[in-house]
mmCIF file of all heavy atoms in Angstrom:
data_model
loop_
_atom_site.group_PDB
_atom_site.id
_atom_site.type_symbol
_atom_site.label_atom_id
_atom_site.label_comp_id
_atom_site.label_asym_id
_atom_site.label_seq_id
_atom_site.Cartn_x
_atom_site.Cartn_y
_atom_site.Cartn_z
ATOM 1 N N TRP A 289 38.078 -9.094 -205.765
ATOM 2 C CA TRP A 289 39.418 -9.254 -205.187
ATOM 3 C C TRP A 289 40.464 -8.688 -206.145
ATOM 4 O O TRP A 289 41.383 -7.979 -205.727
ATOM 5 C CB TRP A 289 39.700 -10.729 -204.895
ATOM 6 C CG TRP A 289 41.005 -10.945 -204.201
ATOM 7 C CD1 TRP A 289 41.208 -11.037 -202.856
ATOM 8 C CD2 TRP A 289 42.296 -11.070 -204.813
ATOM 9 N NE1 TRP A 289 42.541 -11.215 -202.601
ATOM 10 C CE2 TRP A 289 43.238 -11.238 -203.780
ATOM 11 C CE3 TRP A 289 42.747 -11.059 -206.129
ATOM 12 C CZ2 TRP A 289 44.593 -11.394 -204.027
ATOM 13 C CZ3 TRP A 289 44.099 -11.205 -206.374
ATOM 14 C CH2 TRP A 289 45.016 -11.375 -205.330
ATOM 15 N N ILE A 290 40.321 -9.004 -207.412
ATOM 16 C CA ILE A 290 41.264 -8.512 -208.426
ATOM 17 C C ILE A 290 41.262 -6.991 -208.434
ATOM 18 O O ILE A 290 42.318 -6.354 -208.328
ATOM 19 C CB ILE A 290 40.930 -9.085 -209.820
ATOM 20 C CG1 ILE A 290 41.247 -10.584 -209.873
ATOM 21 C CG2 ILE A 290 41.681 -8.327 -210.914
ATOM 22 C CD1 ILE A 290 40.710 -11.290 -211.109
ATOM 23 N N SER A 291 40.095 -6.389 -208.541
ATOM 24 C CA SER A 291 39.994 -4.925 -208.612
ATOM 25 C C SER A 291 40.545 -4.257 -207.361
ATOM 26 O O SER A 291 41.284 -3.272 -207.448
ATOM 27 C CB SER A 291 38.536 -4.507 -208.814
ATOM 28 O OG SER A 291 38.043 -5.006 -210.013
ATOM 29 N N THR A 292 40.199 -4.777 -206.217
ATOM 30 C CA THR A 292 40.649 -4.196 -204.943
ATOM 31 C C THR A 292 42.160 -4.271 -204.815
ATOM 32 O O THR A 292 42.809 -3.298 -204.416
ATOM 33 C CB THR A 292 39.978 -4.928 -203.763
ATOM 34 O OG1 THR A 292 38.560 -4.808 -203.897
ATOM 35 C CG2 THR A 292 40.425 -4.367 -202.432
ATOM 36 N N ASN A 293 42.726 -5.407 -205.160
ATOM 37 C CA ASN A 293 44.176 -5.561 -205.044
ATOM 38 C C ASN A 293 44.927 -4.724 -206.061
ATOM 39 O O ASN A 293 45.971 -4.149 -205.754
ATOM 40 C CB ASN A 293 44.567 -7.032 -205.119
ATOM 41 C CG ASN A 293 44.363 -7.712 -203.792
ATOM 42 O OD1 ASN A 293 45.234 -7.704 -202.955
ATOM 43 N ND2 ASN A 293 43.171 -8.247 -203.573
ATOM 44 N N LEU A 294 44.399 -4.637 -207.258
ATOM 45 C CA LEU A 294 45.039 -3.786 -208.258
ATOM 46 C C LEU A 294 45.024 -2.334 -207.802
ATOM 47 O O LEU A 294 46.019 -1.618 -207.952
ATOM 48 C CB LEU A 294 44.348 -3.930 -209.616
ATOM 49 C CG LEU A 294 44.536 -5.268 -210.315
ATOM 50 C CD1 LEU A 294 43.639 -5.345 -211.554
ATOM 51 C CD2 LEU A 294 45.986 -5.516 -210.684
ATOM 52 N N GLU A 295 43.915 -1.899 -207.247
ATOM 53 C CA GLU A 295 43.818 -0.523 -206.749
ATOM 54 C C GLU A 295 44.816 -0.282 -205.612
ATOM 55 O O GLU A 295 45.453 0.771 -205.554
ATOM 56 C CB GLU A 295 42.392 -0.222 -206.271
ATOM 57 C CG GLU A 295 42.194 1.191 -205.777
ATOM 58 C CD GLU A 295 42.445 2.248 -206.843
ATOM 59 O OE1 GLU A 295 42.171 2.008 -208.026
ATOM 60 O OE2 GLU A 295 42.928 3.343 -206.470
ATOM 61 N N SER A 296 44.985 -1.262 -204.745
ATOM 62 C CA SER A 296 45.934 -1.074 -203.643
ATOM 63 C C SER A 296 47.377 -1.018 -204.145
ATOM 64 O O SER A 296 48.218 -0.357 -203.540
ATOM 65 C CB SER A 296 45.768 -2.164 -202.587
ATOM 66 O OG SER A 296 46.196 -3.409 -203.068
ATOM 67 N N HIS A 297 47.673 -1.659 -205.263
ATOM 68 C CA HIS A 297 49.033 -1.607 -205.825
ATOM 69 C C HIS A 297 49.331 -0.273 -206.489
ATOM 70 O O HIS A 297 50.494 0.088 -206.669
ATOM 71 C CB HIS A 297 49.259 -2.748 -206.817
ATOM 72 C CG HIS A 297 49.182 -4.116 -206.194
ATOM 73 N ND1 HIS A 297 49.633 -4.399 -204.933
ATOM 74 C CD2 HIS A 297 48.671 -5.270 -206.685
ATOM 75 C CE1 HIS A 297 49.414 -5.667 -204.656
ATOM 76 N NE2 HIS A 297 48.840 -6.218 -205.707
ATOM 77 N N ARG A 298 48.293 0.470 -206.824
ATOM 78 C CA ARG A 298 48.490 1.794 -207.445
ATOM 79 C C ARG A 298 49.331 2.707 -206.554
ATOM 80 O O ARG A 298 50.175 3.449 -207.052
ATOM 81 C CB ARG A 298 47.144 2.483 -207.710
ATOM 82 C CG ARG A 298 46.414 1.988 -208.904
ATOM 83 C CD ARG A 298 45.123 2.785 -209.124
ATOM 84 N NE ARG A 298 45.264 3.570 -210.337
ATOM 85 C CZ ARG A 298 45.605 4.845 -210.389
ATOM 86 N NH1 ARG A 298 45.817 5.529 -209.300
ATOM 87 N NH2 ARG A 298 45.714 5.461 -211.550
ATOM 88 N N SER A 299 49.104 2.659 -205.247
ATOM 89 C CA SER A 299 49.855 3.549 -204.352
ATOM 90 C C SER A 299 51.345 3.225 -204.368
ATOM 91 O O SER A 299 52.183 4.136 -204.348
ATOM 92 C CB SER A 299 49.296 3.501 -202.929
ATOM 93 O OG SER A 299 49.369 2.191 -202.415
ATOM 94 N N SER A 300 51.684 1.961 -204.443
ATOM 95 C CA SER A 300 53.100 1.575 -204.533
ATOM 96 C C SER A 300 53.690 2.056 -205.848
ATOM 97 O O SER A 300 54.821 2.548 -205.893
ATOM 98 C CB SER A 300 53.257 0.060 -204.423
ATOM 99 O OG SER A 300 52.841 -0.403 -203.172
ATOM 100 N N ILE A 301 52.933 1.905 -206.912
ATOM 101 C CA ILE A 301 53.402 2.349 -208.230
ATOM 102 C C ILE A 301 53.623 3.858 -208.227
ATOM 103 O O ILE A 301 54.644 4.344 -208.722
ATOM 104 C CB ILE A 301 52.400 1.950 -209.329
ATOM 105 C CG1 ILE A 301 52.282 0.427 -209.421
ATOM 106 C CG2 ILE A 301 52.800 2.542 -210.674
ATOM 107 C CD1 ILE A 301 51.086 -0.058 -210.215
ATOM 108 N N MET A 302 52.674 4.580 -207.647
ATOM 109 C CA MET A 302 52.796 6.040 -207.590
ATOM 110 C C MET A 302 54.030 6.455 -206.777
ATOM 111 O O MET A 302 54.731 7.397 -207.138
ATOM 112 C CB MET A 302 51.538 6.664 -206.989
ATOM 113 C CG MET A 302 50.293 6.480 -207.847
ATOM 114 S SD MET A 302 50.420 7.223 -209.471
ATOM 115 C CE MET A 302 50.323 8.943 -209.037
ATOM 116 N N GLU A 303 54.300 5.737 -205.697
ATOM 117 C CA GLU A 303 55.475 6.045 -204.873
ATOM 118 C C GLU A 303 56.769 5.789 -205.650
ATOM 119 O O GLU A 303 57.698 6.596 -205.612
ATOM 120 C CB GLU A 303 55.446 5.221 -203.585
ATOM 121 C CG GLU A 303 56.617 5.463 -202.663
ATOM 122 C CD GLU A 303 56.720 6.894 -202.134
ATOM 123 O OE1 GLU A 303 55.688 7.591 -202.066
ATOM 124 O OE2 GLU A 303 57.844 7.308 -201.783
ATOM 125 N N VAL A 304 56.835 4.675 -206.349
ATOM 126 C CA VAL A 304 58.023 4.387 -207.163
ATOM 127 C C VAL A 304 58.181 5.464 -208.233
ATOM 128 O O VAL A 304 59.292 5.963 -208.465
ATOM 129 C CB VAL A 304 57.931 2.983 -207.817
ATOM 130 C CG1 VAL A 304 59.060 2.774 -208.824
ATOM 131 C CG2 VAL A 304 57.954 1.881 -206.762
ATOM 132 N N MET A 305 57.088 5.828 -208.865
ATOM 133 C CA MET A 305 57.145 6.842 -209.914
ATOM 134 C C MET A 305 57.624 8.185 -209.335
ATOM 135 O O MET A 305 58.450 8.863 -209.956
ATOM 136 C CB MET A 305 55.771 7.012 -210.574
ATOM 137 C CG MET A 305 55.857 7.719 -211.894
ATOM 138 S SD MET A 305 54.403 7.721 -212.984
ATOM 139 C CE MET A 305 53.090 7.023 -212.115
ATOM 140 N N GLU A 306 57.123 8.552 -208.178
ATOM 141 C CA GLU A 306 57.542 9.816 -207.562
ATOM 142 C C GLU A 306 59.035 9.792 -207.220
ATOM 143 O O GLU A 306 59.758 10.756 -207.488
ATOM 144 C CB GLU A 306 56.721 10.087 -206.302
ATOM 145 C CG GLU A 306 57.022 11.439 -205.688
ATOM 146 C CD GLU A 306 56.133 11.744 -204.505
ATOM 147 O OE1 GLU A 306 54.923 11.440 -204.581
ATOM 148 O OE2 GLU A 306 56.659 12.284 -203.517
ATOM 149 N N ARG A 307 59.504 8.704 -206.658
ATOM 150 C CA ARG A 307 60.935 8.590 -206.337
ATOM 151 C C ARG A 307 61.789 8.632 -207.612
ATOM 152 O O ARG A 307 62.864 9.222 -207.620
ATOM 153 C CB ARG A 307 61.211 7.297 -205.573
ATOM 154 C CG ARG A 307 60.679 7.300 -204.163
ATOM 155 C CD ARG A 307 61.022 6.002 -203.464
ATOM 156 N NE ARG A 307 60.368 5.881 -202.186
ATOM 157 C CZ ARG A 307 60.593 4.902 -201.335
ATOM 158 N NH1 ARG A 307 61.471 3.939 -201.644
ATOM 159 N NH2 ARG A 307 59.957 4.856 -200.190
#
Side-chain angles (χ1 to χ4, degrees):
W289 185 94
I290 290 169
S291 298
T292 301
N293 279 273
L294 291 172
E295 182 62 33
S296 70
H297 296 324
R298 282 183 112 262
S299 60
S300 296
I301 297 165
M302 294 299 288
E303 180 62 25
V304 171
M305 197 168 7
E306 185 176 319
R307 289 181 188 186

